[in-house]
Amino acid sequence: MTMILRGQKCGYDEDCPEIQQEQGGGPLIITGYRPGAEYTAENEITVEFPAAGAPELASLNIPDFNAYRQRMCPGPGDMFRVQTLSRYGNEDGLADAYINGDPPPSAERLSGWGTKLDAYHVAGITYRNLHVVDGLLSDNLRMQFEWAYAFNSAHHMDIRIVDVAEIPAVRALPRLGDFWVLNDTHVALCRYDTDGRPLGHAAVEFSMANAYWAAADMAWQLSTPFATWWAAHPRYHRATQRAA
């Protein structure tokens, strides 16, 4: 069974369903709660939905995302990534190092990524990243903010943060999960397993892409530049927490 959408909090008092599909195809297996019922095991139900009814969910139809991104946004242009998860499993090792007080990755280790970000800037490509959070940051996100986002910002990535606990107007955005918007036109969903490890990408049907773009654009207008947001939330800084 392959996880397509992991169950997660959609808003203040409701959960998203969990969507899975058998490897090799078949119907979507959707698990959620009866409408209006309490979120208990007794009220959990599972139904099957034809995969053809949601093609962008049923198929990881972008085999090589880097090639797809280069084709849809060769430059100049706009690459816009929306992130909504509180944990990314492929970063757990770095999160452990961060919590243990280890030094951040060396400049030598990060030089290749920094060179790539600089090349996007030279090519006229604006690389934007919006992270949607909900209240307290996880240790994984604290590491990502303090180590990765600080580095990325220094290499021309335009990063902003929006907290649904502070800006209720964007509380529905986590329902969409992580996705990319390329040149305000092409949308690709990012899929993760239950541990937050990437599974692949799926292109959204053109008729639905505008809805993703509109949601992302609205959240961007309500968000705060990363440096400003991080400076205003010193309680998440590693030095502050270790001193407490």
Side-chain angles (χ1 to χ4, degrees):
M1 189 76 72
T2 298
M3 180 66 64
I4 293 176
L5 178 68
R6 58 185 297 184
Q8 56 188 312
K9 292 297 290 183
C10 290
Y12 293 122
D13 59 355
E14 54 186 74
D15 285 342
C16 286
E18 183 177 88
I19 305 176
Q20 296 177 294
Q21 185 182 39
E22 293 287 351
Q23 292 185 357
L28 302 179
I29 311 301
I30 303 175
T31 301
Y33 297 96
R34 301 179 188 281
E38 295 183 2
Y39 301 137
T40 62
E42 293 78 11
N43 291 321
E44 187 177 82
I45 57 174
T46 298
V47 298
E48 294 187 358
F49 186 79
E56 67 277 3
L57 287 180
S59 174
L60 294 173
N61 55 11
I62 303 178
D64 184 339
F65 181 71
N66 286 330
Y68 173 86
R69 184 171 57 184
Q70 291 170 11
R71 187 170 69 254
M72 299 305 177
C73 188
D78 181 70
M79 299 194 313
F80 185 7
R81 183 183 181 188
V82 176
Q83 292 186 259
T84 63
L85 299 188
S86 62
R87 175 195 170 209
Y88 293 86
N90 58 327
E91 298 174 348
D92 284 350
L94 283 173
D96 290 341
Y98 176 84
I99 295 305
N100 291 335
D102 295 346
S106 66
E108 181 180 3
R109 178 179 174 182
L110 296 174
S111 62
W113 174 237
T115 298
K116 181 177 288 188
L117 291 178
D118 292 340
Y120 287 135
H121 178 71
V122 171
I125 296 175
T126 300
Y127 193 152
R128 295 189 288 158
N129 194 112
L130 174 69
H131 209 125
V132 184
V133 300
D134 187 358
L136 295 176
L137 295 189
S138 67
D139 290 340
N140 187 290
L141 285 190
R142 288 176 51 228
M143 177 280 298
Q144 186 172 335
F145 282 27
E146 191 159 355
W147 283 1
Y149 284 176
F151 178 86
N152 294 346
S153 295
H155 289 270
H156 310 290
M157 186 184 290
D158 189 355
I159 304 171
R160 293 192 180 188
I161 310 298
V162 63
D163 188 341
V164 302
E166 299 172 355
I167 312 292
V170 301
R171 65 182 181 274
L173 195 59
R175 300 184 188 189
L176 300 179
D178 286 26
F179 60 95
W180 288 84
V181 181
L182 305 177
N183 280 336
D184 299 340
T185 302
H186 308 285
V187 174
L189 306 181
C190 307
R191 301 272 182 73
Y192 301 89
D193 65 15
T194 52
D195 293 321
R197 298 182 183 278
L199 295 172
H201 299 82
V204 172
E205 293 290 325
F206 184 75
S207 60
M208 297 179 60
N210 278 341
Y212 283 86
W213 174 84
D217 185 65
M218 179 192 71
W220 183 262
Q221 301 304 322
L222 295 172
S223 63
T224 302
F226 167 71
T228 302
W229 191 93
W230 187 243
H233 295 78
R235 64 185 181 277
Y236 295 132
H237 301 184
R238 183 169 69 166
T240 301
Q241 295 224 344
R242 291 178 67 84

